[in-house]
Amino acid sequence: MLRMTTILLLLATAHPAVAATLRVPEDHKTIQAAIDAAQPGDTVQVAAGRYSERISVRAGIIVRSAGDDSKGKAGLKRAEATIIDGGGKIGDKPGVVMAEGSTLDGFTITNVGAYDDALWKKHFDSHGEELADDEGSVQAEGTIPAISIKGVIASVTNNIVHHNGDVGIAVVGSREHKVTPLVTSNISYRNLGGGIGVADLAEPVVRENTCHENLRAGIGCRNSSPIILDNVCFQNIRAGIGCREGARPIMRGNKCYQNRRAGIGIRMDGTAPVVEDNDCYENDMAGIGCRDGAEPIIRNNRCSKNKMAGIGCDGASPLIVGNECRENEMAGIGMRGEGIATIQGNKCHENKLVAIGVTDGSTATISGNQLSRTGGVPPLIAVKGSTALIQENQIEGGGVAAVLVQGTATISNNKFLGHGEKQGNAVWVWEGSTATIDANSFNGYRTAVNSTKATVIVTSNTVQGFTGPAIIIKDSSKPAHVFGNTAITKDEKAKVVEIQGPAGVVANNLVKAE
């Protein structure tokens, strides 16, 4: 009984620990002095001013600038007014080192390492082509981040990180445990590295940040699996968002524009991001580019007015589904370098060259896409030195042809809509090529199929709005099989088929009155 009474008295008189607020410079002259005096759960509140120091945050400590969340010119007013100045070349530690459970909220971090504007401009002018592969990258030896989140779960929010000598915000993982920090609502620009870099198994949430004019990617990930959501990345010297070395991020809802390379760049074996619902426009290379063995899922993105392809594939194996590619300077979707791709359900309109190009030993399944262009010489689909299955697409317009085959193609169940006599051929099969053309609907092309010195099988197609023979085959490499095709026309003298050279089965090709 006595023991129980004692316990009750202790409980009645016990007072829970109250988190303290330590003020800088009122209580402590430096931020680091306040951090050193703080206990887990305490807040170090820093008044506006310039603080010439580099700091190491302790576990469980919140370091926050004083003030509310009023907007300033670029970020929050309190972040613009509360500056951690790293002192340039002095020292070899990051500007801010985060600890487990710590928070950094609302600071400008600058002058950590030597920023060199002439070096920045040199690489800007060359699109980063002369930039060493690891220069300024997160895990490179000698890299000193402005903010370092290494092997810990922490929160970095509402900061402005600029004009530093290496990467702005660096997140590095651990083999011992999951590293899932939150990096949100920061502005990172003009750093001589990436704006935000993620490496070595880290799995942060990187959300609603703005990264621009950085020497490397706005946001970069290597061998890591971040969730990259709703960021804005523009005018970076490399990609808006870069992904490599086996990284498997989810990238969703980002805007990447006017970057000196791709809007989103993906490369290397084992790199397999999910890239969906992003806007990539006005970039100096592709809107979304993948190469060197990468295996991304590229889904429901919008890529427009890029100086190369909307979506480009060079030696990669992407799944490209449901994207919209408009008014790009080259292809809507382009493949080369022995790439292997499934291209399904995309909309490619008014791209200056092809809507879809399959070249250089590549293999593609092209199905259920909507492809169009008004005017111009290039075809809508070009298969050159490659193999393609082209089925169930809606194909409108084209140049010298709607589909040009200089390789091997099976073309089936597509709907072709041309714009009259000037439209030319719907399918043009070049010398040495092989094509099976089956069950398509052609309307408004001078000729549905035109083949010279190739191997072709043309069956069960319907042709309207043609002006010469609907199907022309010259000097076939093997006997040409043409059967079961129907031409619908008002011209009683119209010919369905004209064959010059070896003929195989040529039967049941009919002319029907319109």
Side-chain angles (χ1 to χ4, degrees):
M1 184 68 180
L2 180 61
R3 184 179 179 186
M4 180 60 70
T5 302
T6 303
I7 291 171
L8 291 172
L9 286 169
L10 288 170
L11 290 173
T13 57
H15 295 283
V18 178
T21 298
L22 292 78
R23 297 175 299 168
V24 180
E26 292 93 333
D27 302 328
H28 300 272
K29 292 190 180 300
T30 67
I31 301 171
Q32 189 63 59
I35 291 169
D36 292 342
Q39 298 297 317
D42 289 352
T43 297
V44 172
Q45 181 176 287
V46 183
R50 181 177 289 269
Y51 298 85
S52 298
E53 55 181 310
R54 300 188 187 191
I55 64 173
S56 295
V57 185
R58 293 170 57 229
I61 306 298
I62 299 168
V63 183
R64 188 182 190 277
S65 58
D68 59 22
D69 285 354
S70 298
K71 297 293 185 182
K73 291 181 180 178
L76 300 184
K77 282 184 178 179
R78 61 183 173 89
E80 294 172 353
T82 313
I83 302 164
I84 297 175
D85 186 330
K89 293 183 179 180
I90 300 169
D92 58 359
K93 63 179 283 188
V96 180
V97 178
M98 302 302 295
E100 188 71 23
S102 63
T103 296
L104 183 74
D105 178 1
F107 292 84
T108 292
I109 296 91
T110 190
N111 202 24
V112 178
Y115 174 80
D116 184 337
D117 197 63
L119 179 65
W120 184 91
K121 188 175 187 309
K122 169 191 170 183
H123 290 303
F124 178 89
D125 290 342
S126 68
H127 294 261
E129 292 291 346
E130 300 176 23
L131 184 64
D133 199 44
D134 283 339
E135 186 175 339
S137 64
V138 174
Q139 82 283 25
E141 185 176 350
T143 294
I144 302 173
I147 301 174
S148 174
I149 310 169
K150 187 173 183 179
V152 298
I153 299 174
S155 178
V156 172
T157 184
N158 296 321
N159 300 288
I160 303 170
V161 186
H162 70 92
H163 288 86
N164 296 289
D166 283 310
V167 61
I169 302 172
V171 185
V172 178
S174 169
R175 295 190 179 278
E176 283 69 43
H177 59 92
K178 291 186 72 171
V179 175
T180 57
L182 178 65
V183 180
T184 182
S185 301
N186 302 284
I187 300 170
S188 189
Y189 69 96
R190 278 285 179 133
N191 300 291
L192 293 185
I196 300 170
V198 184
D200 296 344
L201 307 179
E203 301 180 39
V205 174
V206 180
R207 185 168 191 169
E208 296 180 354
N209 302 281
T210 299
C211 300
H212 61 98
E213 299 179 24
N214 295 287
L215 189 65
R216 301 188 70 86
I219 300 170
C221 50
R222 298 185 176 203
N223 187 30
S224 57
S225 300
I227 299 173
I228 302 174
L229 302 176
D230 302 327
N231 301 280
V232 178
C233 299
F234 63 96
Q235 295 177 357
N236 297 286
I237 288 178
R238 286 200 166 179
I241 301 174
C243 176
R244 53 182 289 182
E245 291 176 13
R248 294 175 175 264
I250 295 171
M251 307 179 193
R252 184 182 296 129
N254 303 285
K255 289 186 178 180
C256 300
Y257 61 93
Q258 295 176 1
N259 296 286
R260 297 291 280 167
R261 288 193 176 185
I264 297 175
I266 306 155
R267 62 188 175 116
M268 296 189 181
D269 288 335
T271 303
V274 175
V275 182
E276 63 181 4
D277 196 28
N278 302 283
D279 288 282
C280 299
Y281 55 95
E282 297 176 6
N283 297 286
D284 284 359
M285 294 187 180
I288 300 172
C290 58
R291 61 189 178 99
D292 301 340
E295 300 177 7
I297 296 172
I298 302 172
R299 181 170 59 204
N300 298 335
N301 302 281
R302 294 159 295 280
C303 301
S304 62
K305 298 183 179 180
N306 298 287
K307 291 186 180 178
M308 291 188 176
I311 299 173
C313 166
D314 187 351
S317 299
L319 173 63
I320 303 172
V321 178
N323 303 281
E324 185 169 338
C325 299
R326 289 183 177 271
E327 299 178 65
N328 297 287
E329 294 292 321
M330 293 188 177
I333 300 171
M335 294 182 62
R336 65 183 185 186
E338 301 182 357
I340 301 171
T342 297
I343 302 171
Q344 182 177 359
N346 302 281
K347 296 178 180 179
C348 298
H349 300 305
E350 303 301 337
N351 298 284
K352 288 195 176 179
L353 297 182
V354 296
I356 299 175
V358 186
T359 67
D360 190 25
S362 297
T363 303
T365 298
I366 302 169
S367 64
N369 302 283
Q370 297 179 29
L371 315 174
S372 69
R373 190 186 63 248
T374 304
V377 174
L380 285 171
I381 299 177
V383 181
K384 293 190 173 184
S386 299
T387 301
L389 171 61
I390 303 169
Q391 62 183 9
E392 298 179 355
N393 302 282
Q394 296 182 38
I395 302 170
E396 182 177 351
V400 295
V403 176
L404 185 150
V405 181
Q406 191 179 7
T408 301
T410 298
I411 304 168
S412 65
N413 292 292
N414 301 282
K415 183 177 180 180
F416 290 80
L417 179 61
H419 299 131
E421 185 175 332
K422 294 181 180 180
Q423 194 65 81
N425 306 299
V427 178
W428 188 8
V429 186
W430 283 22
E431 181 177 350
S433 300
T434 300
T436 299
I437 303 163
D438 174 68
N440 300 282
S441 169
F442 299 99
N443 192 342
Y445 294 86
R446 186 169 62 248
T447 304
V449 178
N450 194 337
S451 169
T452 303
K453 296 183 179 179
T455 299
V456 293
I457 299 173
V458 185
T459 63
S460 303
N461 299 284
T462 301
V463 187
Q464 292 179 271
F466 59 101
T467 56
I471 299 166
I472 301 173
I473 299 173
K474 299 179 182 178
D475 302 325
S476 182
S477 302
K478 296 180 180 179
H481 301 292
V482 184
F483 56 88
N485 300 285
T486 302
I488 301 172
T489 178
K490 294 178 181 178
D491 185 355
E492 296 178 355
K493 297 181 180 180
K495 293 178 66 176
V496 182
V497 182
E498 180 180 290
I499 296 181
Q500 301 174 14
V505 178
V506 180
N508 299 323
N509 298 294
L510 304 175
V511 175
K512 287 189 176 181
E514 205 167 50

